[in-house]
Every structure is written in structure tokens, then in C-alpha cells.
Amino acid sequence: MTAPGQAGQLPTLGLLLGPMLGDGGGGRVHAKGSGREAGSEFAEEYWRWGGGSRLSTGGRSMTSGPVATVLRPRRGPVESMPGPTPWLGWTDRLLAPRHLHVWGRRGEDWRIDDVARWSPVVEGAVEVRVVHVEDGRVGALHVLPDRGWVMSIELPGSLTWAIDEIDDDPDVARWPLRRWFEDVVPARDSW
């Protein structure tokens, strides 16, 4: 893909759809995201590894995997439910954009329009316009073409969110993997 400022054509929306609708890159990743939704600002820290995902925000955490989902609130008892949660938070959804509510599916307020230009917000990304289905407001996704990750989303009147840091090859030896994932990922021979 051609980076902004270089000669070359923008990738088409068709070329972006495969990576955006894929599995979010699988593997392991560590990211920090922040933004504003419904007038409130907050931040998240997100980890993905071995079929499990973990989100930490505001002193709470949710860890989800094939076996279960475990919610650890700031105060109160730990809650557990069988099976995975399809998404955990905005950072998770931006890294797996198929979970974003911008595809024009039934019940969604936004739909993807087209690639507008190279992103002025995120280096190496393209800006994809999104349109509110009822009132025509225009928002934007800033997408890394090769990964399909949405590094920033702007939905006027409802949400702004950005991936502030991302490491797609983190040193998982530093994470307390067994403690975080043992209840949600099937038994493993090695951690």
C-alpha cells in the first residue's frame, strides 16, 4: 500500500473489506485505546492471546475465551458465565471491525460509504466515510489497509475513539497469562 504523500492510488473499499471483516489479526496483541462516548471519556487496556481476550478499564476487567467469560468488578464478587463474549470494548471492536455498528445491518445507525482519502489523522491509514442512516451525518473510520484495523473512529454526536498504542508482537512472558486466562481458555500444556 502507498503511504500518504507518496504517488499511488488509494486502496478501494473492496480491498479493505476482507481485512476489516476478518478475525482481527488473531494471534497476540496489546493495545491501549481512549475516547468519548455519550459524553463520558474513558480509556481501555486490551490484550489478546491464545484464543482469549482481556479488557481492563476503570479498575474493572473482563476476560473472555472459548470456555467462559469472567468479569472482575472494582468492588463486589467476580462473575463468570459460560462461553465467549463476541466483543469486550471499543478497542476490541476497532481491532476486529466486523463488530462495529457501521455496516448498515438491521438496527445499526451508521453505514460505510466509501474511501475518502489518505488519513490526515493516522499515518499509513485511509479515511473511510460513514453516514448516519437517518439524518445523513458524516463520520469517519481511519483504517490500516493491510491489517483492517480501525485506528480511529469518529461518529459525530455519539462516539470518538482511537487506538493510542498498539503492539502486535508483545512479550507475553511479562503478562500474568495463567492467572488471566486459565478460567476462559481450555487447559494448555504450556503458558
Side-chain angles (χ1 to χ4, degrees):
M1 295 290 153
T2 305
Q6 295 181 347
Q9 292 186 327
L10 286 169
T12 65
L13 184 59
L15 290 174
L16 294 177
L17 292 179
M20 289 178 74
L21 293 171
D23 69 357
R28 61 186 182 202
V29 69
H30 174 239
K32 293 181 181 180
S34 63
R36 181 177 199 85
E37 180 182 23
S40 297
E41 291 187 27
F42 58 101
E44 299 175 340
E45 190 165 8
Y46 174 77
W47 299 264
R48 182 172 50 219
W49 175 83
S53 300
R54 182 175 198 270
L55 179 79
S56 178
T57 183
R60 304 176 311 261
S61 68
M62 180 183 288
T63 309
S64 185
V67 174
T69 296
V70 176
L71 175 64
R72 289 180 172 82
R74 187 179 343 195
R75 293 178 183 87
V78 172
E79 298 177 39
S80 182
M81 60 196 95
T85 296
W87 49 263
L88 302 171
W90 285 112
T91 303
D92 182 37
R93 286 182 258 189
L94 267 58
L95 296 175
R98 68 185 180 279
H99 297 301
L100 290 172
H101 301 286
V102 297
W103 298 98
R105 297 171 288 212
R106 180 183 288 163
E108 295 182 351
D109 293 337
W110 297 87
R111 67 170 173 74
I112 289 179
D113 184 44
D114 203 355
V115 174
R117 59 186 172 165
W118 289 108
S119 172
V121 177
V122 179
E123 185 176 338
V126 295
E127 182 178 307
V128 177
R129 280 186 310 269
V130 292
V131 178
H132 194 274
V133 296
E134 292 179 4
D135 62 24
R137 282 178 286 159
V138 176
L141 308 176
H142 301 271
V143 181
L144 293 179
D146 57 335
R147 303 301 292 261
W149 290 342
V150 176
M151 300 303 289
S152 176
I153 185 172
E154 303 155 9
L155 302 178
S158 76
L159 170 76
T160 55
W161 195 266
I163 302 290
D164 301 321
E165 296 177 32
I166 192 162
D167 182 355
D168 63 350
D169 189 24
D171 179 6
V172 296
R174 294 182 29 208
W175 298 355
L177 292 173
R178 183 177 301 274
R179 180 171 54 90
W180 287 351
F181 294 107
E182 68 185 350
D183 295 330
V184 302
V185 175
R188 301 180 62 88
D189 293 333
S190 66
W191 292 83

